[in-house]
Amino acid sequence: MITVFTPSFADESNTNAQNLTVKEVVSRMDSSRFRVVMLAEGVTDPRIAARPNTRILRWEKHGNTARILWHMLRHIPDVYFFPREGPLDAAFLSARANLHWKSALLTYVVSGGLEQRETNRPLLLRAVREGDVVAGNSRHMSETVERLGGRNVKTVYDGIDRRFYYPPVEPMPSESVDEGRRPRVLFAGSFRPYKRVDLVVREAAKHPEWEFRLAGIGEEQGACERLAQDLRCSNVAFLGHLNAAQLGSEMRRASIFFFPSEIEGHPQVLGQAAACGLVCIARDSYHPDYVVDGSTGLLASSDAEMSDALGRLMREPGLIAQMSSAAIKHAEKFDWDRVAEQWQELLELAVAIHNPHRGQRVSQIA
């Protein structure tokens, strides 16, 4: 059995994208092949709690790095999976190098702009370059980490949780102002400067016949609310933070997903929107595989192109219907069961690469 340690949180209430990914993967991992150690602050996700051969280390207010590192020293894991950029990750990488731990390192890279911010992210770059296996969450991200020195680079997509993200029972009607109902444009994400939520509000001012609904919270929320008031946008609704069920419901009621963020890795929200039948408009700078340009949605390289793409879809309801059907079919490729099996294969590969004798034993048992 392979012991996997991941500095990821198993809390049921934790909605951080990286933690959500690990929870989905661990809940599906073969418990006869993999023993898993995770962290938790509050109530553990019931799927993780019920999984055999799973240990939860409590995250306290103080002293976590030393306490967890001591645990790993006494129970050295076969694989350290999905390092982040915190003190615990730094301590593990140092201990692995200086104490010659027989722990394989499987690095997963999900954040964008890595090439432009190399000097600001030394720990992540170290994890990329020292990883036995490195995975990117899109083809573009995998190409990026390979250029930065990653070895044995693979692509593993984040899956889509079908409990919350699925198409409407009936296709959205071709809504119009004449029918007395305003069709909807949806944005979902954090209100940070690089997300460009201000552009969503500015587009709302141009299209009063459409309703613009913005889900999320963050430092730019107040500025965006003031901008909506200044532009007299009565068609803008700020929804605040939504849980997965609420977001899925909003997606099934919308016609277009408008996502002007400028820096991303491979945002899961685009896959979730596609699974709900939403036509997505996003940037082409990070080459999202969740969107097939011209087929399931539209990709743009500038604010002006984003605006033009939105206007085009609004003028062509038939194109929205066509792309919506294509998006639903495309999203079927991102199944969590398939993703979990890929991770299991990569965990075994990492062990085989870092510790050939151990890997040979695993191969014989399998």
Side-chain angles (χ1 to χ4, degrees), residues 20-31 36 38 45-52 54 161 163 336-337 340 344:
L20 285 175
T21 292
V22 176
K23 286 192 291 185
E24 292 299 328
V25 171
V26 170
S27 68
R28 291 168 169 81
M29 286 173 62
D30 186 345
S31 60
V36 180
M38 296 183 69
D45 185 308
R47 297 173 300 167
I48 307 297
R51 183 186 183 275
T54 305
D161 193 332
R163 296 175 300 169
W336 267 123
D337 290 335
Q344 291 180 116

Side-chain angles (χ1 to χ4, degrees), residues 328-341:
I328 292 169
K329 186 174 182 180
H330 179 61
E332 293 174 358
K333 299 178 181 179
F334 308 105
D335 179 79
W336 267 123
D337 290 335
R338 183 186 304 178
V339 171
E341 185 56 42

Side-chain angles (χ1 to χ4, degrees), residues 209-226:
E209 71 278 12
W210 284 69
E211 183 178 357
F212 285 70
R213 296 172 70 80
L214 287 69
I217 57 176
E219 61 199 82
E220 292 290 303
Q221 183 174 347
C224 289
E225 291 175 346
R226 290 190 294 272

Side-chain angles (χ1 to χ4, degrees), residues 22-300:
V22 176
K23 286 192 291 185
E24 292 299 328
V25 171
V26 170
S27 68
R28 291 168 169 81
M29 286 173 62
D30 186 345
S31 60
S32 68
R33 293 162 59 193
F34 298 94
R35 180 185 297 108
V36 180
V37 182
M38 296 183 69
L39 311 175
E41 292 182 275
V43 178
T44 303
D45 185 308
R47 297 173 300 167
I48 307 297
R51 183 186 183 275
N53 292 318
T54 305
R55 180 167 183 176
I56 302 298
L57 302 181
R58 304 308 303 180
W59 188 264
E60 308 294 347
K61 292 183 178 179
H62 306 287
N64 292 294
T65 297
R67 183 168 45 81
I68 295 171
L69 194 66
W70 175 245
H71 169 84
M72 283 196 286
L73 181 62
R74 291 179 295 144
H75 309 281
I76 296 176
D78 295 305
V79 189
Y80 192 95
F81 172 46
F82 205 163
R84 310 301 173 84
E85 298 176 74
L88 177 59
D89 307 285
F92 166 78
L93 290 174
S94 295
R96 180 176 184 256
N98 298 324
L99 302 179
H100 306 291
W101 281 5
K102 296 297 184 181
S103 293
L105 176 61
L106 203 172
T107 301
Y108 191 33
V109 182
V110 299
S111 56
L114 187 59
E115 287 179 300
Q116 293 85 356
R117 296 181 287 175
E118 281 193 62
T119 56
N120 296 329
R121 309 189 70 178
L123 193 58
L124 179 58
L125 285 166
R126 181 180 178 183
V128 166
R129 290 164 180 163
E130 295 182 10
D132 297 286
V133 176
V134 183
N137 64 346
S138 70
R139 288 174 295 175
H140 175 66
M141 187 59 65
S142 297
E143 292 167 0
T144 298
V145 297
E146 196 163 28
R147 287 196 299 271
L148 293 172
R151 299 170 298 167
N152 303 308
V153 177
K154 311 294 181 182
T155 299
V156 184
Y157 296 107
D158 288 316
I160 298 167
D161 193 332
R162 297 294 179 171
R163 296 175 300 169
F164 309 115
Y165 305 107
Y166 52 86
V169 177
E170 296 181 2
M172 287 292 293
S174 179
E175 298 176 336
S176 70
V177 176
D178 293 337
E179 293 171 328
R181 294 177 296 182
R182 286 193 296 194
R184 293 179 176 180
V185 174
L186 178 67
F187 165 85
S190 59
F191 281 63
R192 297 179 181 178
Y194 68 86
K195 293 288 187 179
R196 294 303 310 280
V197 189
D198 64 297
L199 189 60
V200 184
V201 177
R202 295 183 190 281
E203 289 300 319
K206 300 177 187 177
H207 304 283
E209 71 278 12
W210 284 69
E211 183 178 357
F212 285 70
R213 296 172 70 80
L214 287 69
I217 57 176
E219 61 199 82
E220 292 290 303
Q221 183 174 347
C224 289
E225 291 175 346
R226 290 190 294 272
L227 179 62
Q229 292 176 350
D230 293 342
L231 296 177
R232 299 180 180 179
C233 297
S234 60
N235 59 331
V236 174
F238 292 89
L239 306 178
H241 172 73
L242 301 182
N243 61 33
Q246 293 168 328
L247 180 57
S249 180
E250 282 289 336
M251 287 178 169
R252 284 185 289 279
R253 292 188 176 97
S255 299
I256 299 171
F257 190 75
F258 190 66
F259 192 70
S261 180
E262 295 176 327
I263 300 175
E264 293 290 338
H266 195 230
Q268 287 178 280
V269 71
L270 293 177
Q272 293 161 350
C276 293
L278 264 179
V279 179
C280 296
I281 301 174
R283 305 274 184 180
D284 62 6
S285 55
Y286 49 90
H287 309 281
D289 293 333
Y290 289 132
V291 182
V292 181
D293 187 31
S295 175
T296 71
L298 298 172
L299 300 177

